């Protein structure tokens, strides 16, 4: 660790400051406790000792005065009852003196003054009170009064003066104790003020230290981090203050460097992805243009081939009708081959034309009741069903948003395929059902025909792909390709359920009513028929031509859907 990284940590500095403050406060608290204890002692001395001493001194003087008054009264009257106050005052004097000695144990001056009062009171009783009482008892009141002179009065004044001196000493002691209470109270206040100053100074130092060691470094670090967060990932983060903050700044800067490195990698990857996307976009545009050109070429080619091919087929048929049997057998066979080839070429062109027109023109989507569409399919396939003894059934089907001619063509192709690819000596059974799966309708066409091997489940939807020879099952091989294109045009998908043990199960999905299909087909879809040409939208599989009777017996039947 370098020299600038060494030093007291923030925790150590705070602990040191708090320790100093704690020691000072504990010292002040101890001093305050001692002063408070002394102050309490002084207050107790004022309230419990000096105060009662002063009161008892007054009571002592009152007891002595009662004795003096009682003796004078007895000397005047000679009545023994007048001595009762004297005896009571004497008893009270002794009790007061004993109590005052207990209270004045810590005050030697008060004890000395109390001793003087006792001595003078005893001298007064011995030299004045007792002789007066004895003389009055023996010689009568006159003799007793004779003993009461100015000298005896002066002796009692000496007792009174001793009591006054005692009171003065008690007052002096009380005042000294009160002064001590005041001094200790002042010291206690000073100590409290000192403690408050220590707390205040410690708080100020703590605030200044936190500002210098915590707030400023954190604020500086936050400012640098915000610069980085604002996008300046090249800004170096430098820490200040305690070692913890400098280490934190180093960690944040290391994280910044890592983020900057990853951002550089992401930026480079994004640039590569953008370049790849641009290339893909160009290829997609080129592919779209190529597909569009191919579709246009297929449409134009198939459309423009109609007239010359029709002439070829017509003249071949004329040759067949006019010269049949007039030439040799080989010539009749050649003419039959020419007629058959021309007719098959015409069917291929018609199918290709129908396939290319799907998605090219559109009449717009509307609510299509598939039950009605199935009714149309049943009518279109009636001849084929009668020929094959086929049975067509369907459950209640939903209402779909789409183009009715295309959806009818879709169902007609599936039903016709189910009738055509039947098992020998087994009447075909075709059933169409539907179920709602999420926001899509799943339509199922199930039959009991020859079925499809799983490895060919995708191949059958490719245009002009055939699994059987045209002699076994006649046809152009475009029907399921048309089915797939119509389904995808409506925003769905089509597949063969290979889990069926008997026959073929073809399933396709269509968005439920209210859900428009994605993509561009919905707005740039193909047309149903070219009115000028009168050419069908899509060829329904020719049930007679595709049946056992073959093409010759079928007569080339076609139906226009919609």
């Amino acid at each position: 660790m370098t020299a600038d990284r060494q030093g007291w940590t923030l925790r150590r500095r705070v602990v040191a400051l708090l320790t100093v403050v704690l020691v000072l406060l504990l010292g002040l608290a101890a001093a305050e406790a001692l002063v408070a204890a002394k102050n309490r002692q002084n207050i107790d001395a004022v309230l419990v000792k000096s105060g009662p001493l002063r009161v008892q001194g007054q009571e002592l003087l009152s007891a002595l005065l009662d004795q003096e008054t009682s003796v004078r009264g007895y000397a005047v009257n000679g009545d023994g009852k007048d001595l009762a106050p004297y005896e009571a005052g004497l008893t009270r004097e002794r009790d007061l003196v004993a109590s005052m000695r207990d209270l004045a144990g810590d005050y030697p001056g008060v004890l000395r003054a109390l001793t003087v009062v006792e001595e003078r009171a005893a001298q007064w009783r011995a030299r004045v009170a007792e002789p007066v009482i004895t003389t009055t008892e023996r010689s009568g009141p006159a003799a007793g009064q004779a003993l009461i002179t100015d000298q005896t009065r002066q002796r009692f004044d000496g007792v009174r003066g001793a009591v006054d001196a005692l009171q003065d000493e008690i007052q002096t002691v009380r005042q000294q104790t009160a002064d001590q209470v005041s001094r200790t109270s002042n010291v206690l206040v000073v100590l409290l003020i000192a403690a408050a100053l220590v707390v205040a100074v410690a708080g100020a130092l703590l605030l200044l230290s936190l500002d210098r060691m915590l707030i400023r470094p954190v604020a500086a670090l936050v400012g640098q981090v915000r610069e980085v967060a604002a996008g300046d990932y090249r800004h170096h983060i430098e820490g200040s203050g305690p070692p913890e903050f400098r280490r934190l700044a180093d960690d944040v800067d290391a994280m910044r460097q890592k983020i900057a490195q990853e951002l550089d990698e992401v930026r480079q990857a994004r640039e590569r992805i953008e370049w790849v996307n641009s290339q893909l976009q160009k290829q997609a545009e080129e592919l779209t243009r190529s597909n569009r050109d191919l579709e246009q070429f297929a449409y134009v080619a198939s459309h423009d081939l109609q007239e010359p091919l029709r002439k070829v087929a017509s003249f071949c048929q004329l040759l067949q009708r006019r010269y049949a049997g007039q030439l040799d057998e080989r010539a009749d066979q050649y003419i039959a081959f020419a007629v058959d080839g021309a007719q098959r070429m015409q069917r291929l062109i018609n199918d290709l034309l129908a396939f290319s027109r799907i998605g090219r023109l559109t009449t717009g989507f509307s609510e299509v009741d598939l039950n009605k569409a199935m009714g149309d399919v049943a009518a279109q396939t009636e001849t084929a069903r009668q020929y094959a003894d086929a049975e067509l059934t369907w459950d209640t089907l939903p209402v779909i948003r789409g183009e009715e001619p295309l959806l009818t063509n879709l169902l007609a192709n599936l039903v016709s395929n189910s009738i055509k690819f039947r098992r020998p000596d087994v009447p075909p059974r075709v059933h169409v059902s539907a179920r709602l799966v999420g926001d899509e309708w799943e339509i199922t066409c199930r039959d009991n025909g020859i079925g499809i091997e799983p490895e060919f489940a995708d191949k059958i939807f490719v245009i002009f792909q055939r699994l059987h020879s045209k002699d076994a099952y006649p046809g152009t091989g475009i029907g399921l390709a048309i089915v797939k294109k119509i389904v995808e045009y409506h925003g769905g998908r089509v597949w063969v359920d290979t889990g069926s043990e008997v026959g073929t199960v073809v399933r396709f999905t269509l968005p439920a009513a209210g859900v428009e299909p994605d993509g561009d087909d919905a707005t740039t879809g193909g047309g149903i028929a070219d009115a000028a040409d009168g050419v069908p939208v899509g060829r329904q599989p020719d049930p007679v031509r595709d049946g056992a009777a073959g093409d010759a017996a079928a007569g080339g039947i076609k139906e226009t859907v919609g």
Side-chain angles (χ1 to χ4, degrees):
M1 183 179 290
T2 59
D4 62 330
R5 298 294 178 185
Q6 297 176 350
W8 280 25
T9 63
L10 178 62
R11 179 191 296 273
R12 188 176 180 185
R13 294 179 184 183
V14 173
V15 169
L17 177 60
L18 294 179
T19 301
V20 172
V21 173
L22 181 61
V23 170
L24 291 176
L25 290 178
L26 288 176
L28 290 173
E32 289 175 358
L34 293 175
V35 173
K38 185 64 176 177
N39 188 57
R40 184 177 182 83
Q41 291 177 0
N42 292 331
I43 293 174
D44 289 343
V46 171
L47 298 177
V48 178
K49 294 182 178 180
S50 61
L53 281 174
R54 183 173 178 82
V55 174
Q56 291 179 5
Q58 294 291 342
E59 293 178 354
L60 178 60
L61 178 60
S62 177
L64 292 172
L65 289 175
D66 289 343
Q67 294 178 39
E68 191 269 339
T69 302
S70 176
V71 169
R72 288 173 59 188
Y74 180 69
V76 173
N77 299 323
D79 189 356
K81 295 180 180 180
D82 291 335
L83 291 177
Y86 174 78
E87 297 296 335
L90 181 60
T91 301
R92 193 149 61 97
E93 176 190 350
R94 291 171 182 170
D95 294 338
L96 290 170
V97 169
S99 176
M100 292 179 72
R101 283 190 178 279
D102 292 338
L103 294 174
D106 295 333
Y107 308 121
V110 174
L111 290 176
R112 287 193 298 271
L114 182 60
T115 301
V116 172
V117 171
E118 287 183 303
E119 291 175 353
R120 291 188 180 181
Q123 291 176 3
W124 174 78
R125 283 191 293 273
R127 295 180 182 179
V128 178
E130 294 299 331
V132 170
I133 294 172
T134 303
T135 302
T136 302
E137 288 178 351
R138 294 177 181 178
S139 304
Q145 291 180 4
L147 295 178
I148 298 174
T149 61
D150 293 337
Q151 186 178 3
T152 61
R153 294 190 182 94
Q154 290 176 358
R155 284 188 177 276
F156 189 79
D157 290 339
V159 173
R160 182 182 285 131
V163 173
D164 292 339
L166 175 61
Q167 289 289 79
D168 292 339
E169 183 64 26
I170 292 173
Q171 180 63 27
T172 300
V173 170
R174 186 175 185 276
Q175 185 61 41
Q176 291 176 353
T177 305
D179 293 340
Q180 291 179 359
V181 170
S182 178
R183 285 195 297 272
T184 55
S185 298
N186 292 334
V187 172
L188 185 60
V189 171
V190 170
L191 291 176
L192 291 174
I193 293 174
L197 289 176
V198 168
V199 172
V201 171
L205 290 177
L206 183 61
L207 288 177
L208 292 176
S209 300
L210 291 178
D211 179 68
R212 186 173 66 87
M213 296 184 298
L214 179 63
I215 298 177
R216 292 181 184 178
V218 169
L221 181 60
V222 168
Q224 297 181 75
V225 171
R226 285 178 177 173
E227 290 184 13
V228 174
D232 186 8
Y233 295 102
R234 302 297 178 184
H235 179 77
H236 176 67
I237 298 178
E238 181 68 28
S240 61
E244 300 100 315
F245 289 171
R246 292 196 291 271
R247 290 194 294 269
L248 176 62
D250 292 342
D251 294 340
V252 174
D253 190 65
M255 182 171 60
R256 175 199 62 81
Q257 294 176 5
K258 184 177 180 180
I259 293 175
Q261 181 180 359
E262 292 179 353
L263 285 176
D264 290 339
E265 296 175 356
V266 170
R267 187 179 298 108
Q268 294 174 2
R270 183 173 60 188
E271 291 176 355
R272 290 194 298 269
I273 292 173
E274 289 177 353
W275 182 83
V276 171
N277 286 338
S278 64
Q279 297 300 315
L280 290 176
Q281 182 66 26
K282 291 179 181 178
Q283 294 179 5
E285 292 175 356
E286 181 65 21
L287 183 60
T288 301
R289 184 193 62 78
S290 177
N291 288 337
R292 187 169 55 250
D293 292 344
L294 287 175
E295 290 181 358
Q296 181 68 23
F297 170 77
Y299 174 77
V300 172
S302 60
H303 185 275
D304 293 344
L305 287 175
Q306 289 287 322
E307 182 60 26
L309 185 59
R310 188 180 296 113
K311 289 183 178 179
V312 171
S314 298
F315 282 105
C316 285
Q317 290 174 351
L318 286 175
L319 284 174
Q320 187 180 38
R321 289 196 298 268
R322 178 170 295 182
Y323 297 104
Q326 298 182 16
L327 302 176
D328 58 11
E329 182 179 354
R330 185 175 296 275
D332 291 341
Q333 186 180 12
Y334 290 163
I335 293 174
F337 286 162
V339 171
D340 180 67
Q343 289 177 345
R344 284 193 290 110
M345 178 62 73
Q346 192 172 22
R347 288 196 296 270
L348 284 173
I349 291 175
N350 287 335
D351 289 344
L352 181 62
L353 182 61
F355 182 82
S356 65
R357 282 174 173 171
I358 297 175
R360 291 178 54 83
L361 300 173
T362 179
T363 58
F365 279 15
S366 61
E367 301 290 335
V368 179
D369 186 353
L370 294 185
N371 295 286
K372 179 179 180 299
M374 281 300 301
D376 295 340
V377 170
Q380 294 176 20
T381 60
E382 182 177 0
T383 303
R385 287 187 290 110
Q386 290 178 354
Y387 179 84
D389 193 20
E391 178 182 87
L392 173 61
T393 59
W394 63 89
D395 297 337
T396 301
L397 300 178
V399 175
I400 300 295
R401 282 194 60 78
E403 296 193 21
E404 183 175 358
L406 293 181
L407 294 176
T408 304
N409 190 12
L410 161 66
L411 295 170
N413 272 285
L414 292 176
V415 172
S416 297
N417 272 356
S418 296
I419 297 174
K420 179 172 68 172
F421 295 100
R422 61 185 180 272
R423 288 181 294 169
D425 301 327
V426 177
R429 298 291 181 265
V430 185
H431 182 73
V432 179
S433 61
R435 64 170 182 165
L436 185 63
V437 180
D439 57 355
E440 293 181 326
W441 283 103
E442 182 181 283
I443 315 297
T444 301
C445 181
R446 183 187 305 270
D447 62 49
N448 60 346
I450 61 175
I452 299 175
E453 295 297 328
E455 59 267 26
F456 302 120
D458 295 329
K459 184 179 179 181
I460 62 174
F461 293 105
V462 179
I463 189 171
F464 296 134
Q465 290 293 323
R466 300 173 54 88
L467 303 182
H468 307 278
S469 66
K470 67 182 183 63
D471 295 331
Y473 292 98
T476 60
I478 200 173
L480 290 180
I482 291 176
V483 167
K484 181 179 180 181
K485 191 169 185 180
I486 293 174
V487 170
E488 292 177 349
Y489 169 67
H490 285 81
R493 55 193 179 88
V494 62
W495 70 97
V496 175
D497 187 349
T498 58
S500 177
E501 296 181 356
V502 178
T504 302
V505 178
V506 178
R507 303 182 190 274
F508 62 93
T509 61
L510 295 173
V515 180
E516 292 292 342
D518 296 332
D520 298 332
D521 288 344
T523 56
T524 62
I528 307 307
D530 190 332
D533 300 334
V535 182
V537 174
R539 184 189 64 79
Q540 297 298 321
D542 191 343
V544 177
R545 181 198 64 216
D546 295 343
D551 290 342
I557 297 177
K558 296 184 184 295
E559 293 197 33
T560 302
V561 179

